[in-house]
Amino acid sequence: MDAAITVSGLVVDRGRRRVLHGLGFAVPPGQVTGLLGPSGSGKTTLMRTLVGVQQVRSGEVTVLGEPAGSPGLRARVGYVTQAPSVYADLTVRENARYFASLYGLTSREADAAVADVGLTGAAGQLVNDLSGGQRGRVSLACALVGGPEVLVLDEPTVGLDPVLRVELWELFHALARAGTTLVVSSHVMDEAARCDRLLLLRDGDLLAHSTPAQLRADGRSPDLEEAFLTLVRAREEVAA
Amino acid sequence: MTAARERRSTIHVSPRLTAATAGRVLRQLRHDHRTIAMLLVLPSLLLGLLYLLWKDVPTLPGQASVFDRVGLTMLGIFPFVVMFLVTSIAMLRERTSGTLERLLTTPLARLDLLLGYGLAFGLAAASQALVTVGIATTVYGLDVTGSIALVVLIAVADAVLGVALGLLASAFARTEFQAVQFMPVIVLPQFFLCGLLVPVDRMDGWLQAISNVLPLTYAVEALQEVGWSATATATMWTDVAVVAGAAVLALALAAATLRRRTS
Ligand SMILES: Nc1ncnc2c1ncn2[C@@H]1O[C@H](COP(=O)(O)OP(=O)(O)O)[C@@H](O)[C@H]1O
Ligand SMILES: [Mg+2]
């Protein structure tokens, strides 16, 4: 099957610093691809590029066959920013309904998205009065509501309690089974095991593009964090 | 190709998305009761202060009283100032909270967003103007020769101008402290030179030249026309058109400075 996202030679500068150094990879459709890397490695910058809000120095980014950020993609690609980006002075339901209306959808779809993230009980509450984790889920609901074919999620599970985290990962896999392509970033390696595929980013370079099983084999460890470290060290020895 | 698409998506305006955005902005306002209360009654209270200030000042026969002259002008200045401030803060919050970045990834065109703000705050300004004009003419006995409806129309045009300039100014502010300080920069020179403190034709030539390119001057002149003429004058309509044109220009500039891709 054709890739949902292809990136080649992607170079991004932010301020005077080079943040992404010529990345190239392809993301298969209908899978959960994890974008793993320490804080500051360039995950958010890469995701902003995928949704077309990041100025790019050079390189090509194609999403669903069109250049990233094309007007035709805006109803087909959903983006959840790292910090919850919803209106704190509106209720959960009002937020979902506003974003639904931007996709030409009704309050029925909005209420369904609120239910999908488990916030039906809080639908009438102001986002301002919610916990950080709940706000993150409102933000997620506002992207789910459009029924996007590609969903880009920047650290969606940070700060959530373990039960909720598992529930969200189940939701991501259910979406993938239904055909959605998900790119999910995280800076904690223990989430890597939940992904179908992995992109490992370090200091703006792609360290590995593989599956959890392949990473364990390459890094000669059943522990993904351990395997990741082995790869980093091997890379540094080559460089030295 | 990409540039052409980008341009088309700016120009392409969807009445449905504009209305949805205006509805969302008004819903945000509705949750903020104190702001609504202040929006509706503050201009009337301030006007009351002016009324008490000049209540006992004698008026020469055949001339408008000081309160009639200043009070009428203030009906155009309040909505301009208030909507400028409210909008520049609202848009800055949209930027800093990340909702703007997110909106730019949805089918909402940039102009839809800006027009949505214009529509929402224009409606808020219309309510404000109705309350203020109603109280001014009844409680404070403000004397307007022309139609009250025209006063409200001019007040709304001023408000929309304030919204458009607020949207534009917020593009140049990174923090709320900066945004608030754009208020004196944009508003006070226009207020000083609009013809209320000193009639425009009695200013120095170069000040007149500046006054003539500032939109608030035309708003004030329009109100003065309604103040003395029972029927709408051609000058008044020209003034209203200038204010509306300035608002459209500011909106276009705001759309142009609102970049989808940022570094
Ligand atoms: N607005 C910005 N201006 C300049 N540099 C930035 C900006 N945002 C992020 N950076 C830099 O880009 C690098 C990558 O950041 P980011 O993509 O946010 O990483 P991550 O999401 O993996 O934590 C970091 O070194 C960060 O300091
Ligand atoms: Mg990040």
Side-chain angles (χ1 to χ4, degrees):
Chain A
M1 213 194 271
D2 277 356
I5 300 170
T6 52
V7 172
S8 65
L10 175 64
V11 176
V12 173
D13 293 341
R14 296 190 87 165
R16 267 185 286 278
R17 288 197 46 223
R18 178 139 303 178
V19 173
L20 300 180
H21 306 264
L23 302 188
F25 59 88
V27 172
Q31 291 195 2
V32 180
T33 297
L35 179 58
L36 276 287
S39 179
S41 58
K43 303 182 296 296
T44 298
T45 306
L46 178 54
M47 295 191 135
R48 278 168 46 84
T49 311
L50 298 182
V51 298
V53 294
Q54 175 66 51
Q55 267 173 20
V56 168
R57 177 87 202 192
S58 61
E60 285 209 24
V61 182
T62 308
V63 178
L64 300 171
E66 291 190 61
S70 306
L73 287 177
R74 290 193 197 125
R76 303 171 71 195
V77 177
Y79 175 40
V80 179
T81 50
Q82 186 166 354
S85 50
V86 284
Y87 298 100
D89 48 359
L90 290 182
T91 66
V92 175
R93 188 184 292 120
E94 287 169 335
N95 269 289
R97 289 188 178 179
Y98 174 55
F99 282 97
S101 69
L102 298 185
Y103 297 101
L105 301 171
T106 63
S107 50
R108 177 136 35 91
E109 285 95 348
D111 295 346
V114 171
D116 280 344
V117 298
L119 282 177
T120 303
Q125 266 180 274
L126 284 181
V127 168
N128 211 12
D129 299 337
L130 301 180
S131 72
Q134 286 175 312
R135 285 184 202 202
R137 284 187 284 153
V138 181
S139 196
L140 177 60
C142 292
L144 290 178
V145 70
E149 293 162 59
V150 171
L151 197 47
V152 178
L153 308 174
D154 200 353
E155 310 217 14
T157 58
V158 168
L160 289 187
D161 90 75
V163 179
L164 267 174
R165 216 199 277 193
V166 170
E167 280 177 16
L168 276 187
W169 277 102
E170 279 165 5
L171 173 64
F172 299 160
H173 283 286
L175 289 166
R177 277 194 300 278
T180 309
T181 304
L182 290 96
V183 180
V184 182
S185 74
S186 175
H187 67 271
V188 286
M189 279 305 282
D190 59 358
E191 298 211 299
R194 302 187 182 281
C195 303
D196 298 317
R197 296 193 66 82
L198 295 175
L199 293 164
L200 297 188
L201 208 57
R202 190 159 191 270
D203 289 338
D205 279 310
L206 199 57
L207 212 63
H209 180 200
S210 74
T211 63
Q214 188 66 44
L215 181 64
R216 289 191 186 97
D218 291 347
R220 292 186 292 279
S221 168
D223 180 46
L224 284 170
E225 180 132 29
E226 198 68 31
F228 179 62
L229 275 174
T230 310
L231 284 185
V232 172
R233 292 203 188 100
R235 172 76 61 110
E236 278 166 0
E237 271 164 32
V238 171
Chain B
M1 182 72 190
T2 328
R5 282 185 179 176
E6 181 89 350
R7 188 152 333 112
R8 199 181 58 206
S9 76
T10 313
I11 291 167
H12 180 82
V13 175
S14 150
R16 188 175 54 78
L17 297 187
T18 299
T21 301
R24 184 264 293 174
V25 173
L26 287 173
R27 238 165 265 129
Q28 286 178 287
L29 209 54
R30 202 183 57 197
H31 285 292
D32 188 351
H33 302 240
R34 195 176 298 177
T35 294
I36 295 187
M38 289 173 77
L39 216 54
L40 290 182
V41 306
L42 211 55
S44 302
L45 293 178
L46 289 172
L47 217 51
L49 199 58
L50 290 179
Y51 167 72
L52 294 173
L53 188 64
W54 283 311
K55 185 164 56 84
D56 300 323
V57 174
T59 306
L60 295 175
Q63 280 201 354
S65 73
V66 184
F67 178 69
D68 281 351
R69 196 168 61 79
V70 177
L72 182 61
T73 311
M74 292 315 284
L75 290 177
I77 291 174
F78 284 134
F80 175 72
V81 175
V82 172
M83 292 306 157
F84 176 87
L85 261 182
V86 169
T87 314
S88 50
I89 297 285
M91 192 62 186
L92 192 77
R93 283 205 311 204
E94 193 99 67
R95 246 174 242 280
T96 52
S97 69
T99 47
L100 178 65
E101 172 166 293
R102 174 181 216 148
L103 288 176
L104 293 175
T105 68
T106 71
L108 184 75
R110 285 172 282 177
L111 213 46
D112 285 329
L113 175 65
L114 300 179
L115 290 175
Y117 269 106
L119 187 59
F121 288 134
L123 285 172
S127 324
Q128 183 189 58
L130 283 173
V131 171
T132 317
V133 173
I135 291 187
T137 50
T138 55
V139 182
Y140 309 143
L142 182 83
D143 214 358
V144 183
T145 312
S147 139
I148 296 297
L150 285 176
V151 176
V152 174
L153 173 80
I154 297 166
V156 171
D158 286 356
V160 173
L161 176 68
V163 169
L165 288 174
L167 290 170
L168 179 58
S170 81
F172 301 97
R174 296 217 174 276
T175 66
E176 299 198 358
F177 287 159
Q178 293 176 8
V180 168
Q181 295 195 78
F182 275 118
M183 203 280 278
V185 172
I186 304 279
V187 171
L188 286 185
Q190 300 208 59
F191 177 68
F192 294 158
L193 297 179
C194 72
L196 178 66
L197 303 184
V198 175
V200 178
D201 54 18
R202 277 200 261 141
M203 294 176 193
D204 275 356
W206 65 280
L207 283 178
Q208 274 190 38
I210 297 176
S211 172
N212 285 338
V213 296
L214 297 176
L216 200 61
T217 307
Y218 297 86
V220 167
E221 190 182 55
L223 284 168
Q224 287 168 344
E225 294 284 304
V226 180
W228 67 262
S229 167
T231 54
T233 64
T235 309
M236 187 219 79
W237 286 120
T238 312
D239 290 334
V240 171
V242 170
V243 172
V248 169
L249 184 68
L251 270 181
L253 285 173
T257 50
L258 187 61
R259 302 259 49 103
R260 192 178 294 280
R261 285 180 189 273
T262 51
S263 57

